[in-house]
Amino acid sequence: MERDVFTFIVGGKAGEGVKKSGSVAASILADLGRNIFQMDDYQSLIRGGHNFSVVSSSTGPITSHHLRAQLIVNLDERSYHLHRQEVAEDGILVYNSDVMSEAEGIGLPMTSEAKKFPRPDLRVGVASITVLAAALGLDMDYVEEVIAREYKRDLENNVAYASRIFELARPKIGGRFPLERGNATGKAIYGAEAIALGALAGGLDLYMAYPMTPSSPILHFLAAQGRPFGVHALHLESEVSVANMAVGASFAGARVAVGSSGGGFALMAEAFSLAGMMEAPVLFILASRSSPSTGVPTYTEQADLKFAISVGHGDFPRVVACPGTVEEAFYLTADLLGLAWRFQSPVILLTEKHLGESAMNVSLDPFRATWAEPVLHSDVGGGPLSTPSLGALEPAQEDGYRRYRFTDSGVSPLLFPPSSQVIKWNSYEHDEYGITTDQPEPTARMHEKRYRKRQAIIEHLRGTKTVNVYGEGGPVIFSYGSSTMSVLEALRTGGIQATVVQPTYLEPFPVWELERYRGSNPIVVEQSVAGQFSALIREQAGVSSDRFIRRYDGRPFEPSELAQQIKEMM
Amino acid sequence: MEDLGTYAENTWCPGCGNFAILNAFKAAIGRLEEQGIGRDRIVLVAGIGQHGKIFDYMNVSGFYGLHGRSMASAQAIKLANPDLKVVDFVGDGDALGEGLEHTIFAAKRNADITMILHDNGVYALTTGQYTPTSARGYRGPSTPTGTVEDPIHPLPLMLEAGASFIARGYSGELEHLTDLMVQAVLHEGFSFVDVLQPCVTFNNTWREYNQLVEITDRTATTPEEARAIFSRTDRLPIGVLYRRDDVPFHRRLYEDFNPVRDKEPREARQRRVAQFLGVPEEPEREYKGPRERP
């Protein structure tokens, strides 16, 4: 069966409400019961420049935007020139005839009509979604409904403006795309929202961050939506503060997460080690952008993989995992918050701009999210657990709470203040009570205790899903993170049969699931010039390859192009 | 009073000004307990430096944080559980050097924590380098011909940053210092106690301080008055030098809410997420166990 992908692109200057138009277009296509995928492309500036939003939709599954569009609405001249090549064979190119002279396509006087109302710059976005509704054969009553839902501010003027655009557009494009309805369910959400909601479902209490693209949407979402959940999002003075505060909050018993991108996460590295030493449960969210350094701040890349796996000084266990889809981002965030608390370790949710700032409709079941629970001292009791204590303790304290009690799993039961027992968390090497030591034997034993947790984590992960495998037969394709969505869409677009292997966990690396792919010479798809992911699967799981597809221009893979590249390698 | 000490060996030099801070805090805990603040509610936070060893020497719960960063961690302990009384012992190199931003922001926010500055004008643990409060001309291993920088004055700095309680104490006045600590902990808001604390090994200021220190009971209530007190150089007044009442950070954020104590149970939270997502909820829905991924 032919896939019925319909793509809408809206392009314009920053400040013209392009992203909002994309979201509204997505909601219009979702009203038709279609599955949608929206990607926002924007530059690091406030006004001017070039922004665009792509919304692709299908009655079947869809996991990527397509750049070949049936309908393109350009609010300014630059967008027109940048997007005109992307119009599909049967597609329509619409331009703002007030900002450029006669051109190929359909010109509409978007600005001069907007000037009849206050704040015309902000209004042109309404034109784009009105054009979409007209082209889909929807009526003005429906457009009014959408405006009432999505553009509540200045509703009357927006409706009046839309009516005018609708009248002008209908004779030219009305009903050109009678799309098949679908039966998709679920709300369209961004990856960043899925992460935030996953953290909420998993028991989050506090979120801390310093603004940095592309992690900021998580902060913004939790700041705006967290309060009814009893969750507070704090914008603090620096990432250094964020990470040190997070460890402090976990000491007092709060489920805490922090978020940043490369440069900010680099500042958290010192406190990441602190969390390792103190055995503090903290969820770190690392939303990668195009790096190194300031890089291309509003674009995407997957080059923080090795950084995430090895961040921090010294040896200590941590968990790093990277969601492949918006849906997985929700559950994985809750899982990781749970792992942080179960194993009292710093944990990293690694993701990218492309996942965080892309939206799709997903069906989520919050009741299936993992809930972060500590192993509590009161559950275990004060008796000896397994290994005898260090000795050299005051007799009165022999039976007291030991924060860093030696156990087989390496996990010591937690206790939170206020408590009659003394609870000591220490950044220095310490004994079982948490008192500083520099003696060789206790130092070695405490190292071993902490490191035993890595094996305990591996044993736990062995019983859970750590690798997603999509499809069967054909070539083996390895990918991870948001590239997985691109690969899956490329396979659908190109009609390619393949087996897609996506490790969700990257540290500890699920070699037990991946060893079977040794000798498969997989095609490895990732967004990194150095091929960090292909190196990881080779080094850790012995899966070598000489077939690589890499992109590192800051843009996510485009499914048609990627399908072509995959076919060339088969 | 039960002994507040531990089995940790004390490695401060004999005559160190830190002993008075340790003993004053032990006495302060006793007095706070008399006023209904049990030691179980007190959390001792420390940064890295000779001062930080107080963490090992006190048998109370605590958090031995990073150099300069303990001010950040201390604020978060209070935010997570506002029932706790958080006392952060910091060094001048620690809190005014590496950690200056956190110190200023804690004061700016009027975070309800107590900061006790072991102010000896020297990095003692790393063998005697100059600190942000060292006098110009201080000679140490990193400035053999004397530092060419002027010192930071912590009292006016904290005043301008927004601290609502500013005190100065002295290691040579144990009773007085104890009283300052008690008042600082009882103060709702950011309380700062600058403790003049001689380092007998690298910066022995006992004699100078004994001549200059003067107990005062004059407490400024306006910044202008406070500036006049802080600018004195002929004498070093000690006491609560400035205080004002203001709503502390955690109350500005969430009034009487306590994130740890008032947390909703799992089912209520997940129901709320379901409502947000528009997921139809079955009223008797039970946890189904870990899901299987596709």
Side-chain angles (χ1 to χ4, degrees), chain B residues 220-253:
Chain B
T221 52
T222 67
E224 292 70 30
E225 280 178 80
R227 283 183 203 110
I229 300 172
F230 299 163
S231 63
R232 287 188 64 173
T233 50
D234 54 331
R235 308 294 293 165
L236 287 169
I238 60 171
V240 180
L241 303 179
Y242 171 76
R243 82 184 296 169
R244 68 183 162 82
D245 291 326
D246 198 356
V247 183
F249 186 42
H250 66 278
R251 289 197 192 283
R252 296 184 203 184
L253 283 173

mmCIF file of all heavy atoms in Angstrom, chain B residues 220-253:
data_model
loop_
_atom_site.group_PDB
_atom_site.id
_atom_site.type_symbol
_atom_site.label_atom_id
_atom_site.label_comp_id
_atom_site.label_asym_id
_atom_site.label_seq_id
_atom_site.Cartn_x
_atom_site.Cartn_y
_atom_site.Cartn_z
ATOM 1 N N ALA B 220 22.483 47.420 63.534
ATOM 2 C CA ALA B 220 21.924 48.313 62.514
ATOM 3 C C ALA B 220 20.663 47.698 61.924
ATOM 4 O O ALA B 220 20.550 46.478 61.795
ATOM 5 C CB ALA B 220 22.950 48.545 61.415
ATOM 6 N N THR B 221 19.721 48.560 61.577
ATOM 7 C CA THR B 221 18.505 48.065 60.923
ATOM 8 C C THR B 221 18.371 48.651 59.524
ATOM 9 O O THR B 221 17.467 48.284 58.783
ATOM 10 C CB THR B 221 17.253 48.438 61.742
ATOM 11 O OG1 THR B 221 17.286 49.843 62.005
ATOM 12 C CG2 THR B 221 17.212 47.680 63.069
ATOM 13 N N THR B 222 19.268 49.569 59.184
ATOM 14 C CA THR B 222 19.250 50.088 57.812
ATOM 15 C C THR B 222 20.636 49.856 57.202
ATOM 16 O O THR B 222 21.643 49.807 57.928
ATOM 17 C CB THR B 222 18.978 51.613 57.784
ATOM 18 O OG1 THR B 222 20.102 52.287 58.382
ATOM 19 C CG2 THR B 222 17.702 51.955 58.531
ATOM 20 N N PRO B 223 20.692 49.733 55.886
ATOM 21 C CA PRO B 223 21.995 49.537 55.226
ATOM 22 C C PRO B 223 22.962 50.673 55.517
ATOM 23 O O PRO B 223 24.161 50.435 55.684
ATOM 24 C CB PRO B 223 21.629 49.486 53.747
ATOM 25 C CG PRO B 223 20.202 49.046 53.710
ATOM 26 C CD PRO B 223 19.559 49.627 54.939
ATOM 27 N N GLU B 224 22.459 51.903 55.636
ATOM 28 C CA GLU B 224 23.346 53.053 55.888
ATOM 29 C C GLU B 224 24.058 52.895 57.236
ATOM 30 O O GLU B 224 25.274 53.058 57.333
ATOM 31 C CB GLU B 224 22.543 54.373 55.880
ATOM 32 C CG GLU B 224 21.983 54.770 54.523
ATOM 33 C CD GLU B 224 20.842 53.890 54.029
ATOM 34 O OE1 GLU B 224 20.082 53.348 54.875
ATOM 35 O OE2 GLU B 224 20.716 53.691 52.809
ATOM 36 N N GLU B 225 23.262 52.583 58.257
ATOM 37 C CA GLU B 225 23.857 52.370 59.581
ATOM 38 C C GLU B 225 24.881 51.241 59.539
ATOM 39 O O GLU B 225 25.950 51.319 60.138
ATOM 40 C CB GLU B 225 22.774 51.928 60.581
ATOM 41 C CG GLU B 225 21.906 52.991 61.175
ATOM 42 C CD GLU B 225 20.888 52.310 62.094
ATOM 43 O OE1 GLU B 225 21.243 51.971 63.228
ATOM 44 O OE2 GLU B 225 19.750 52.072 61.619
ATOM 45 N N ALA B 226 24.497 50.169 58.836
ATOM 46 C CA ALA B 226 25.381 48.999 58.771
ATOM 47 C C ALA B 226 26.695 49.357 58.100
ATOM 48 O O ALA B 226 27.771 49.003 58.595
ATOM 49 C CB ALA B 226 24.683 47.868 58.016
ATOM 50 N N ARG B 227 26.606 50.117 57.025
ATOM 51 C CA ARG B 227 27.837 50.502 56.319
ATOM 52 C C ARG B 227 28.763 51.293 57.241
ATOM 53 O O ARG B 227 29.983 51.121 57.200
ATOM 54 C CB ARG B 227 27.500 51.329 55.069
ATOM 55 C CG ARG B 227 27.009 50.483 53.917
ATOM 56 C CD ARG B 227 26.752 51.301 52.648
ATOM 57 N NE ARG B 227 25.797 50.588 51.805
ATOM 58 C CZ ARG B 227 24.547 50.964 51.575
ATOM 59 N NH1 ARG B 227 24.082 52.085 52.084
ATOM 60 N NH2 ARG B 227 23.763 50.222 50.824
ATOM 61 N N ALA B 228 28.172 52.143 58.062
ATOM 62 C CA ALA B 228 28.981 52.943 58.987
ATOM 63 C C ALA B 228 29.721 52.034 59.971
ATOM 64 O O ALA B 228 30.900 52.248 60.262
ATOM 65 C CB ALA B 228 28.082 53.932 59.727
ATOM 66 N N ILE B 229 29.038 51.005 60.463
ATOM 67 C CA ILE B 229 29.690 50.078 61.402
ATOM 68 C C ILE B 229 30.789 49.291 60.696
ATOM 69 O O ILE B 229 31.905 49.148 61.191
ATOM 70 C CB ILE B 229 28.660 49.102 62.020
ATOM 71 C CG1 ILE B 229 27.573 49.876 62.782
ATOM 72 C CG2 ILE B 229 29.353 48.108 62.950
ATOM 73 C CD1 ILE B 229 26.414 49.004 63.251
ATOM 74 N N PHE B 230 30.454 48.797 59.480
ATOM 75 C CA PHE B 230 31.415 47.927 58.774
ATOM 76 C C PHE B 230 32.673 48.678 58.357
ATOM 77 O O PHE B 230 33.730 48.082 58.195
ATOM 78 C CB PHE B 230 30.782 47.332 57.506
ATOM 79 C CG PHE B 230 29.575 46.470 57.749
ATOM 80 C CD1 PHE B 230 28.702 46.172 56.701
ATOM 81 C CD2 PHE B 230 29.301 45.941 59.005
ATOM 82 C CE1 PHE B 230 27.594 45.377 56.902
ATOM 83 C CE2 PHE B 230 28.188 45.145 59.215
ATOM 84 C CZ PHE B 230 27.330 44.867 58.162
ATOM 85 N N SER B 231 32.541 49.978 58.157
ATOM 86 C CA SER B 231 33.692 50.712 57.613
ATOM 87 C C SER B 231 34.711 51.088 58.686
ATOM 88 O O SER B 231 35.764 51.619 58.373
ATOM 89 C CB SER B 231 33.197 51.964 56.885
ATOM 90 O OG SER B 231 32.555 52.810 57.816
ATOM 91 N N ARG B 232 34.395 50.796 59.933
ATOM 92 C CA ARG B 232 35.362 51.132 60.984
ATOM 93 C C ARG B 232 36.637 50.309 60.833
ATOM 94 O O ARG B 232 36.593 49.108 60.611
ATOM 95 C CB ARG B 232 34.764 50.856 62.370
ATOM 96 C CG ARG B 232 33.711 51.883 62.770
ATOM 97 C CD ARG B 232 33.300 51.683 64.197
ATOM 98 N NE ARG B 232 34.414 51.914 65.119
ATOM 99 C CZ ARG B 232 34.245 51.934 66.435
ATOM 100 N NH1 ARG B 232 33.063 51.736 66.985
ATOM 101 N NH2 ARG B 232 35.282 52.158 67.213
ATOM 102 N N THR B 233 37.778 50.948 60.969
ATOM 103 C CA THR B 233 39.046 50.221 60.895
ATOM 104 C C THR B 233 39.828 50.353 62.185
ATOM 105 O O THR B 233 40.726 49.566 62.459
ATOM 106 C CB THR B 233 39.909 50.737 59.731
ATOM 107 O OG1 THR B 233 39.969 52.156 59.832
ATOM 108 C CG2 THR B 233 39.336 50.325 58.389
ATOM 109 N N ASP B 234 39.472 51.369 63.016
ATOM 110 C CA ASP B 234 40.202 51.563 64.270
ATOM 111 C C ASP B 234 39.900 50.448 65.270
ATOM 112 O O ASP B 234 40.762 50.003 66.015
ATOM 113 C CB ASP B 234 39.853 52.928 64.878
ATOM 114 C CG ASP B 234 38.354 53.118 65.054
ATOM 115 O OD1 ASP B 234 37.586 52.531 64.262
ATOM 116 O OD2 ASP B 234 37.937 53.835 65.984
ATOM 117 N N ARG B 235 38.626 49.989 65.263
ATOM 118 C CA ARG B 235 38.204 48.887 66.124
ATOM 119 C C ARG B 235 37.491 47.866 65.261
ATOM 120 O O ARG B 235 37.015 48.177 64.165
ATOM 121 C CB ARG B 235 37.217 49.372 67.203
ATOM 122 C CG ARG B 235 37.680 50.564 68.010
ATOM 123 C CD ARG B 235 38.885 50.282 68.877
ATOM 124 N NE ARG B 235 38.586 49.329 69.962
ATOM 125 C CZ ARG B 235 39.545 48.708 70.666
ATOM 126 N NH1 ARG B 235 40.820 48.901 70.392
ATOM 127 N NH2 ARG B 235 39.211 47.890 71.637
ATOM 128 N N LEU B 236 37.377 46.644 65.754
ATOM 129 C CA LEU B 236 36.613 45.612 65.043
ATOM 130 C C LEU B 236 35.422 45.221 65.900
ATOM 131 O O LEU B 236 35.528 44.348 66.763
ATOM 132 C CB LEU B 236 37.492 44.381 64.763
ATOM 133 C CG LEU B 236 38.555 44.528 63.671
ATOM 134 C CD1 LEU B 236 39.515 43.337 63.707
ATOM 135 C CD2 LEU B 236 37.925 44.658 62.295
ATOM 136 N N PRO B 237 34.284 45.897 65.701
ATOM 137 C CA PRO B 237 33.112 45.550 66.503
ATOM 138 C C PRO B 237 32.626 44.134 66.196
ATOM 139 O O PRO B 237 32.581 43.740 65.021
ATOM 140 C CB PRO B 237 32.058 46.587 66.099
ATOM 141 C CG PRO B 237 32.590 47.307 64.924
ATOM 142 C CD PRO B 237 34.021 46.947 64.726
ATOM 143 N N ILE B 238 32.301 43.365 67.236
ATOM 144 C CA ILE B 238 31.708 42.043 67.033
ATOM 145 C C ILE B 238 30.330 42.012 67.686
ATOM 146 O O ILE B 238 30.092 42.690 68.675
ATOM 147 C CB ILE B 238 32.608 40.894 67.565
ATOM 148 C CG1 ILE B 238 32.878 41.031 69.065
ATOM 149 C CG2 ILE B 238 33.915 40.820 66.795
ATOM 150 C CD1 ILE B 238 33.566 39.802 69.669
ATOM 151 N N GLY B 239 29.436 41.241 67.068
ATOM 152 C CA GLY B 239 28.050 41.187 67.531
ATOM 153 C C GLY B 239 27.143 41.022 66.320
ATOM 154 O O GLY B 239 27.630 40.825 65.196
ATOM 155 N N VAL B 240 25.823 41.090 66.582
ATOM 156 C CA VAL B 240 24.891 41.089 65.441
ATOM 157 C C VAL B 240 24.885 42.520 64.936
ATOM 158 O O VAL B 240 24.348 43.421 65.576
ATOM 159 C CB VAL B 240 23.478 40.648 65.866
ATOM 160 C CG1 VAL B 240 22.539 40.659 64.669
ATOM 161 C CG2 VAL B 240 23.520 39.255 66.492
ATOM 162 N N LEU B 241 25.485 42.746 63.778
ATOM 163 C CA LEU B 241 25.721 44.115 63.333
ATOM 164 C C LEU B 241 24.590 44.654 62.457
ATOM 165 O O LEU B 241 24.437 45.858 62.308
ATOM 166 C CB LEU B 241 27.059 44.184 62.589
ATOM 167 C CG LEU B 241 28.271 43.708 63.406
ATOM 168 C CD1 LEU B 241 29.548 43.797 62.583
ATOM 169 C CD2 LEU B 241 28.422 44.512 64.705
ATOM 170 N N TYR B 242 23.832 43.746 61.862
ATOM 171 C CA TYR B 242 22.720 44.189 60.996
ATOM 172 C C TYR B 242 21.685 43.100 60.951
ATOM 173 O O TYR B 242 22.010 41.915 60.880
ATOM 174 C CB TYR B 242 23.242 44.460 59.580
ATOM 175 C CG TYR B 242 22.145 44.709 58.555
ATOM 176 C CD1 TYR B 242 21.473 45.937 58.513
ATOM 177 C CD2 TYR B 242 21.782 43.733 57.636
ATOM 178 C CE1 TYR B 242 20.463 46.163 57.590
ATOM 179 C CE2 TYR B 242 20.776 43.954 56.706
ATOM 180 C CZ TYR B 242 20.115 45.170 56.685
ATOM 181 O OH TYR B 242 19.121 45.401 55.772
ATOM 182 N N ARG B 243 20.427 43.487 61.009
ATOM 183 C CA ARG B 243 19.385 42.497 60.748
ATOM 184 C C ARG B 243 18.107 43.179 60.291
ATOM 185 O O ARG B 243 17.825 44.316 60.624
ATOM 186 C CB ARG B 243 19.140 41.585 61.951
ATOM 187 C CG ARG B 243 18.239 42.142 63.035
ATOM 188 C CD ARG B 243 18.163 41.167 64.206
ATOM 189 N NE ARG B 243 17.533 39.898 63.823
ATOM 190 C CZ ARG B 243 17.537 38.812 64.604
ATOM 191 N NH1 ARG B 243 18.158 38.822 65.778
ATOM 192 N NH2 ARG B 243 16.926 37.722 64.226
ATOM 193 N N ARG B 244 17.397 42.466 59.439
ATOM 194 C CA ARG B 244 16.078 42.932 59.003
ATOM 195 C C ARG B 244 15.213 41.690 58.817
ATOM 196 O O ARG B 244 15.724 40.566 58.663
ATOM 197 C CB ARG B 244 16.177 43.723 57.698
ATOM 198 C CG ARG B 244 16.562 42.883 56.507
ATOM 199 C CD ARG B 244 16.738 43.692 55.237
ATOM 200 N NE ARG B 244 17.506 42.926 54.264
ATOM 201 C CZ ARG B 244 16.990 41.987 53.467
ATOM 202 N NH1 ARG B 244 15.700 41.744 53.494
ATOM 203 N NH2 ARG B 244 17.756 41.316 52.645
ATOM 204 N N ASP B 245 13.921 41.891 58.865
ATOM 205 C CA ASP B 245 13.004 40.763 58.649
ATOM 206 C C ASP B 245 12.589 40.741 57.185
ATOM 207 O O ASP B 245 12.252 41.771 56.623
ATOM 208 C CB ASP B 245 11.756 40.914 59.531
ATOM 209 C CG ASP B 245 12.106 40.713 60.995
ATOM 210 O OD1 ASP B 245 13.005 39.890 61.268
ATOM 211 O OD2 ASP B 245 11.513 41.400 61.847
ATOM 212 N N ASP B 246 12.650 39.585 56.608
ATOM 213 C CA ASP B 246 12.210 39.448 55.215
ATOM 214 C C ASP B 246 11.815 37.989 54.978
ATOM 215 O O ASP B 246 12.284 37.094 55.683
ATOM 216 C CB ASP B 246 13.353 39.849 54.266
ATOM 217 C CG ASP B 246 12.856 40.158 52.865
ATOM 218 O OD1 ASP B 246 11.641 39.983 52.604
ATOM 219 O OD2 ASP B 246 13.683 40.566 52.028
ATOM 220 N N VAL B 247 10.991 37.788 53.991
ATOM 221 C CA VAL B 247 10.509 36.427 53.700
ATOM 222 C C VAL B 247 11.654 35.623 53.085
ATOM 223 O O VAL B 247 12.283 36.080 52.130
ATOM 224 C CB VAL B 247 9.315 36.476 52.713
ATOM 225 C CG1 VAL B 247 8.771 35.082 52.454
ATOM 226 C CG2 VAL B 247 8.228 37.397 53.259
ATOM 227 N N PRO B 248 11.959 34.450 53.627
ATOM 228 C CA PRO B 248 13.070 33.668 53.069
ATOM 229 C C PRO B 248 12.698 32.970 51.759
ATOM 230 O O PRO B 248 11.517 32.857 51.409
ATOM 231 C CB PRO B 248 13.363 32.646 54.158
ATOM 232 C CG PRO B 248 12.085 32.476 54.884
ATOM 233 C CD PRO B 248 11.361 33.793 54.798
ATOM 234 N N PHE B 249 13.728 32.514 51.097
ATOM 235 C CA PHE B 249 13.617 31.942 49.745
ATOM 236 C C PHE B 249 12.565 30.843 49.639
ATOM 237 O O PHE B 249 11.696 30.887 48.764
ATOM 238 C CB PHE B 249 15.000 31.412 49.351
ATOM 239 C CG PHE B 249 15.127 30.915 47.938
ATOM 240 C CD1 PHE B 249 14.565 31.603 46.875
ATOM 241 C CD2 PHE B 249 15.861 29.759 47.659
ATOM 242 C CE1 PHE B 249 14.720 31.152 45.564
ATOM 243 C CE2 PHE B 249 16.019 29.307 46.357
ATOM 244 C CZ PHE B 249 15.450 30.003 45.319
ATOM 245 N N HIS B 250 12.621 29.851 50.529
ATOM 246 C CA HIS B 250 11.702 28.721 50.359
ATOM 247 C C HIS B 250 10.253 29.153 50.527
ATOM 248 O O HIS B 250 9.362 28.611 49.881
ATOM 249 C CB HIS B 250 12.053 27.571 51.316
ATOM 250 C CG HIS B 250 11.867 27.872 52.766
ATOM 251 N ND1 HIS B 250 12.804 28.546 53.510
ATOM 252 C CD2 HIS B 250 10.848 27.604 53.614
ATOM 253 C CE1 HIS B 250 12.376 28.666 54.758
ATOM 254 N NE2 HIS B 250 11.191 28.113 54.848
ATOM 255 N N ARG B 251 10.007 30.163 51.366
ATOM 256 C CA ARG B 251 8.623 30.642 51.517
ATOM 257 C C ARG B 251 8.186 31.452 50.308
ATOM 258 O O ARG B 251 7.018 31.436 49.928
ATOM 259 C CB ARG B 251 8.478 31.491 52.786
ATOM 260 C CG ARG B 251 8.553 30.669 54.046
ATOM 261 C CD ARG B 251 7.998 31.421 55.254
ATOM 262 N NE ARG B 251 8.344 30.736 56.467
ATOM 263 C CZ ARG B 251 7.734 29.628 56.896
ATOM 264 N NH1 ARG B 251 6.725 29.121 56.200
ATOM 265 N NH2 ARG B 251 8.134 29.032 57.994
ATOM 266 N N ARG B 252 9.126 32.165 49.717
ATOM 267 C CA ARG B 252 8.781 32.904 48.497
ATOM 268 C C ARG B 252 8.415 31.913 47.388
ATOM 269 O O ARG B 252 7.560 32.186 46.557
ATOM 270 C CB ARG B 252 9.963 33.745 48.015
ATOM 271 C CG ARG B 252 10.361 34.839 48.975
ATOM 272 C CD ARG B 252 11.463 35.691 48.377
ATOM 273 N NE ARG B 252 12.222 36.365 49.420
ATOM 274 C CZ ARG B 252 13.191 37.232 49.177
ATOM 275 N NH1 ARG B 252 13.515 37.545 47.941
ATOM 276 N NH2 ARG B 252 13.837 37.781 50.168
ATOM 277 N N LEU B 253 9.087 30.782 47.392
ATOM 278 C CA LEU B 253 8.824 29.790 46.346
ATOM 279 C C LEU B 253 7.533 29.034 46.591
ATOM 280 O O LEU B 253 6.732 28.858 45.689
ATOM 281 C CB LEU B 253 9.970 28.766 46.286
ATOM 282 C CG LEU B 253 11.257 29.192 45.611
ATOM 283 C CD1 LEU B 253 12.317 28.114 45.811
ATOM 284 C CD2 LEU B 253 11.047 29.444 44.131
#
